């Protein structure tokens, strides 16, 4: 992710910029300013070094673009462009030469920022908020830094302004009416155009968790979880009490109030802090049963869709950008090679496709343990990177069949009532799918109370990884939004592995798959939305995410009766 942080002198912009990379591994701090200007300046530089501590690797350079290209996979903070532009103008002897230009260096820096693999944070003074002398030299500097900020903003997903330590997210530029499109009739009354701020795609809000270099854990004791503590009951009581003080009748906001209380309890604070870094992990895998036509799509679509998600073109990506979430996709057991798969996508791969659940051979116990461990490791990496709410998504042709087997087994339902239409199957395919679920449940029922063995018999690495992901999120005291039928099947297993974990979850939606309602009932969860969705990928949970964020905003921003001077009717 690429950030441009603007601010005036002593605004707190550098401290904020450093905080954006606080959760990353060994970020590089590219200091562009001279250190021997005078004693006061040296003291300021020393103070910045002390604040950064040993977390940052400090590099003094006048060529940040070159330094970025030396290590493109390390997060980098450039502080700041004002000093860098000054040095460029000095070197070009451009202060009193209008023909002299620094365009090539600016182009090079923008290219390096755009191409950098890891996170980039750039600090720069905002024109008009820093001390600039009203002289020809001062005007040249203001012109150049304004132009540079504009150029750098074009290659950054997020531009923020820091004023008195307060951070403002700046909207993307709005479209304006061009001269060519204006009416020709000079006598026509024209209504002035009022630009409507367009929020930047919030996919950039979430901090980046790096999975490059990750490796599949050995899985030893992956199914063993300590006792799960619930979200704080005391904070939940405090949040309910605060709801009663807000300028509305008690309970008037319905589910929004309950969600606000839940997030407060999960965060152990009231009011809660805003949800700023939600993350989605999509777990992909093929299933042997799909070879016999239980889906409307052929199995090779799984690998193609994983590539589509990785490229940002799937529904989960679109909804995540709008909701402010970062999407990661993991090939747990895709049978075919994923086109263009990178190391992060395949870092936790357990096997090429699952076995046949109809014979109880989805995977081995060892593979089930490794899959659980992978899901736990993914949750840990996301939480350690700063994620404050997690969502699991699924991708796999035929995966609603093992999901229905797991739900039917754990919820003790008959095969015919849990089978659904999945991707939109016809009657003949529905009959084959029902038979497959029946055969799978015949094996699964003997392991109903043995979650690890159940996953090995009729699940798959993707479902097992999801189960580990959910249980670990609860262990890490991080709220989760459950998606559709496939992820809910994994959640049922996770609740068996780590009893009490479901207190950290809420159901994003209810899908049209019959088994989903049974799973939610068994978990004691009510859906936030019910929009007849059945896609999976995490889309239902992402649709509900803005509602959860709004619930948090109500607790934070809504005035109390006392603050507003409104009678509470008591």
């Amino acid at each position: 992710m690429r950030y441009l942080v603007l601010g005036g002198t002593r605004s707190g912009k550098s401290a904020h910029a450093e905080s954006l990379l606080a959760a990353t591994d060994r970020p590089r701090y590219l200091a562009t300013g001279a250190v021997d200007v005078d004693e006061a300046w040296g003291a300021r530089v020393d103070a910045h070094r002390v604040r950064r501590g040993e977390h940052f690797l400090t590099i003094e350079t006048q060529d940040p673009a070159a330094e970025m290209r030396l290590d493109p996979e390390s997060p980098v903070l450039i502080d700041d462009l004002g000093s860098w532009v000054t040095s460029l103008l000095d070197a070009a002897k451009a202060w009193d030469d209008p023909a002299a230009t620094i365009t090539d260096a600016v182009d090079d820096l923008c290219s390096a920022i755009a191409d950098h693999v890891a996170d980039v944070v750039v600090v720069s003074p905002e024109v008009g908020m820093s001390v600039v002398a009203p002289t020809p030299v001062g005007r040249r500097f203001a012109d150049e830094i304004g132009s540079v900020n504009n150029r750098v903003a074009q290659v950054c997903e997020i531009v923020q302004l820091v004023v008195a330590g307060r951070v403002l997210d700046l909207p993307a530029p709005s479209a304006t009416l061009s001269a060519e499109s204006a009416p020709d009739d000079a006598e026509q009354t024209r209504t002035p155009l009022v630009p409507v701020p367009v929020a930047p795609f919030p996919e950039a809000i979430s901090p980046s968790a790096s999975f490059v270099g990750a490796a599949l854990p050995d899985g030893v004791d992956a199914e063993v979880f300590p006792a799960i503590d619930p979200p704080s009951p005391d904070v939940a009581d405090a949040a309910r009490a605060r709801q009663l003080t807000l300028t509305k009748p008690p309970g008037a906001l319905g589910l929004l109030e309950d969600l606000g209380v839940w997030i407060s309890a999960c965060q152990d604070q009231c009011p809660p802090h805003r949800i700023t870094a939600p993350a989605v992990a999509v777990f992909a895998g093929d299933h042997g049963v799909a070879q016999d036509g239980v889906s409307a799509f052929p199995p090779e679509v799984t690998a193609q869709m994983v590539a589509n998600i990785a490229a940002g073109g799937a529904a989960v990506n679109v909804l995540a950008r709008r909701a402010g979430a970062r999407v990661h996709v993991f090939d747990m057991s895709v049978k075919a090679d994923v086109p263009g798969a990178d190391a992060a996508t395949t870092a936790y791969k357990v096997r090429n496709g699952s076995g046949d659940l109809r014979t109880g051979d989805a995977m081995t116990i060892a593979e089930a343990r490794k899959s659980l461990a992978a899901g736990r490791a993914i949750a840990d990496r996301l939480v350690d990177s700063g994620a404050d709410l997690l969502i699991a998504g699924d991708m796999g042709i035929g995966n609603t069949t093992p999901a229905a087997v797991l739900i039917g087994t754990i919820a003790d339902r008959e095969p015919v009532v849990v089978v659904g239409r999945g991707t939109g199957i016809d009657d003949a395919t529905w009959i084959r799918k029902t038979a497959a679920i029946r055969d799978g449940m015949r094996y699964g029922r003997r392991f109903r109370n043995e979650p690890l063995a159940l996953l090995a018999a009729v699940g798959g690495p993707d479902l097992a990884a999801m189960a580990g992901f959910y249980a670990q999120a609860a262990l890490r005291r991080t709220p989760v939004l459950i998606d559709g039928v496939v992820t809910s099947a994994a959640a049922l297993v996770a609740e068996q592995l780590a009893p009490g974990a479901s207190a950290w979850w809420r159901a994003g939606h209810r899908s049209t798959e019959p088994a989903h309602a049974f799973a939610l009932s068994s978990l004691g969860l009510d859906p936030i939305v019910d929009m007849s969705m059945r896609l999976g990928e995490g889309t239902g949970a992402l649709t509900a995410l803005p509602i959860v964020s709004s619930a948090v905003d109500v607790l934070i921003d809504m005035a109390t009766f006392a603050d507003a001077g409104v009678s509470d009717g008591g």
Side-chain angles (χ1 to χ4, degrees):
M1 206 51 52
R2 293 175 285 272
Y3 296 80
L4 173 60
V5 179
L6 303 169
T9 305
R10 297 297 183 112
S11 62
K13 62 183 183 294
S14 293
H16 171 66
E18 292 162 17
S19 72
L20 294 173
L21 298 182
T24 61
D25 294 330
R26 197 59 171 156
R28 304 169 78 225
Y29 183 96
L30 305 186
T32 63
V35 298
D36 56 354
V37 176
D38 55 38
E39 185 175 348
W41 180 259
R44 182 181 297 189
V45 170
D46 290 340
H48 278 227
R49 284 175 175 164
V50 170
R51 183 180 66 212
R52 292 194 302 271
E54 297 180 356
H55 180 64
F56 286 82
L57 174 63
T58 300
I59 300 169
E60 295 173 5
T61 179
Q62 297 299 314
D63 192 354
E67 285 292 338
M68 293 174 71
R69 293 189 176 100
L70 289 176
D71 189 0
E73 294 186 351
S74 290
V76 65
L77 193 162
I78 302 173
D79 193 357
D80 73 339
L81 294 187
S83 300
W84 179 68
V85 166
T86 299
S87 66
L88 291 178
L89 293 171
D90 282 337
K93 297 182 172 54
W95 293 110
D96 54 2
D97 182 1
T101 177
I102 60 172
T103 300
D104 290 344
V106 175
D107 289 343
D108 190 39
L109 178 63
C110 290
S111 175
I113 293 171
D115 294 340
H116 202 67
V117 176
D119 289 348
V120 180
V121 180
V122 182
V123 180
S124 186
E126 172 54 24
V127 177
M129 298 184 70
S130 295
V131 179
V132 179
T135 62
V137 169
R139 286 192 293 272
R140 178 65 189 265
F141 174 80
D143 290 343
E144 293 290 351
I145 195 63
S147 175
V148 171
N149 286 346
N150 195 359
R151 289 290 313 284
V152 172
Q154 293 175 30
V155 295
C156 291
E157 290 94 338
I158 288 186
V159 180
Q160 296 178 323
L161 178 66
V162 181
V163 180
R166 306 294 180 90
V167 181
L168 301 173
D169 286 322
L170 301 182
S174 302
T176 57
L177 185 66
S178 67
E180 291 77 12
S181 63
D184 292 330
D185 186 358
E187 299 300 319
Q188 180 175 345
T189 302
R190 301 181 182 182
T191 303
L193 292 177
V194 179
V196 178
V198 178
F201 270 161
E203 183 176 41
I205 292 175
S206 228
S208 174
S210 174
F211 290 91
V212 175
L216 182 65
D218 60 22
V220 175
D221 292 332
E223 75 276 22
V224 178
F225 286 84
I228 302 294
D229 293 325
S232 171
D234 292 337
V235 173
D237 288 342
R240 292 187 191 96
R242 178 172 172 79
Q243 292 280 11
L244 295 175
T245 70
L246 302 180
T247 49
K248 58 178 177 57
L253 290 178
L255 181 58
L256 277 183
E257 297 187 22
D258 297 335
L259 291 171
V261 169
W262 173 62
I263 290 292
S264 288
C266 289
Q267 294 180 1
D268 198 24
Q269 71 176 57
C270 178
H273 64 71
R274 300 187 201 280
I275 296 170
T276 59
V280 183
V282 180
F283 298 89
D286 280 309
H287 296 268
V289 70
Q291 298 292 334
D292 288 338
V294 297
S295 173
F297 290 87
E300 57 264 26
V301 170
T302 301
Q304 295 164 1
M305 279 303 300
V306 170
N308 188 28
I309 294 170
V316 63
N317 306 101
V318 174
L319 294 176
R321 284 192 287 267
R322 176 52 57 199
R326 173 68 73 90
V327 177
H328 303 269
V329 60
F330 300 96
D331 172 2
M332 300 303 304
S333 53
V334 179
K335 188 169 184 178
D337 291 335
V338 175
D342 57 28
T345 301
T346 60
Y348 297 103
K349 187 160 188 167
V350 173
R351 56 181 287 165
N352 293 321
S354 297
D356 195 340
L357 61 81
R358 293 171 297 184
T359 58
D361 298 313
M363 58 181 167
T364 68
I365 288 290
E367 288 169 337
R369 284 198 172 102
K370 289 181 179 180
S371 303
L372 281 171
R376 297 182 68 169
I378 290 167
D380 279 337
R381 285 216 178 198
L382 291 173
V383 174
D384 290 341
S385 75
D388 51 11
L389 184 144
L390 297 179
I391 292 172
D394 65 278
M395 174 47 60
I397 297 304
N399 63 6
T400 58
T401 300
V405 171
L406 289 171
I407 292 171
T409 300
I410 296 173
D412 196 20
R413 302 286 176 169
E414 291 300 317
V416 72
V417 301
V418 296
V419 65
R421 296 283 175 172
T423 50
I425 58 177
D426 58 22
D427 290 344
T429 306
W430 183 89
I431 292 171
R432 289 194 296 271
K433 185 175 180 180
T434 302
I437 293 171
R438 176 202 63 204
D439 294 343
M441 287 180 62
R442 183 180 298 125
Y443 281 92
R445 280 174 173 147
R446 71 189 69 177
F447 303 119
R448 182 182 179 191
N449 297 312
E450 301 176 48
L452 182 67
L454 180 63
L455 287 169
V458 298
D462 51 343
L463 285 152
M466 274 184 259
F469 179 84
Y470 282 143
Q472 189 68 14
L475 188 63
R476 294 298 303 272
R477 305 184 65 82
T478 303
V480 167
L481 288 182
I482 305 290
D483 189 44
V485 66
V486 177
T487 58
S488 295
L492 279 175
V493 180
E495 177 66 12
Q496 287 188 322
L497 289 165
S502 59
W504 294 89
W505 312 334
R506 286 296 181 268
H509 80 125
R510 175 169 33 227
S511 80
T512 58
E513 286 288 301
H516 195 204
F518 297 130
L520 296 183
S521 176
S522 296
L523 291 168
L525 299 177
D526 294 319
I528 296 172
V529 298
D530 189 345
M531 301 180 67
S532 300
M533 298 174 70
R534 55 179 173 83
L535 178 60
E537 300 180 11
T539 53
L542 282 166
T543 301
L545 177 55
I547 297 175
V548 177
S549 296
S550 295
V552 172
D553 291 342
V554 166
L555 266 181
I556 296 172
D557 296 331
M558 194 170 178
T560 66
F561 287 105
D563 291 339
V566 175
S567 173
D568 62 5

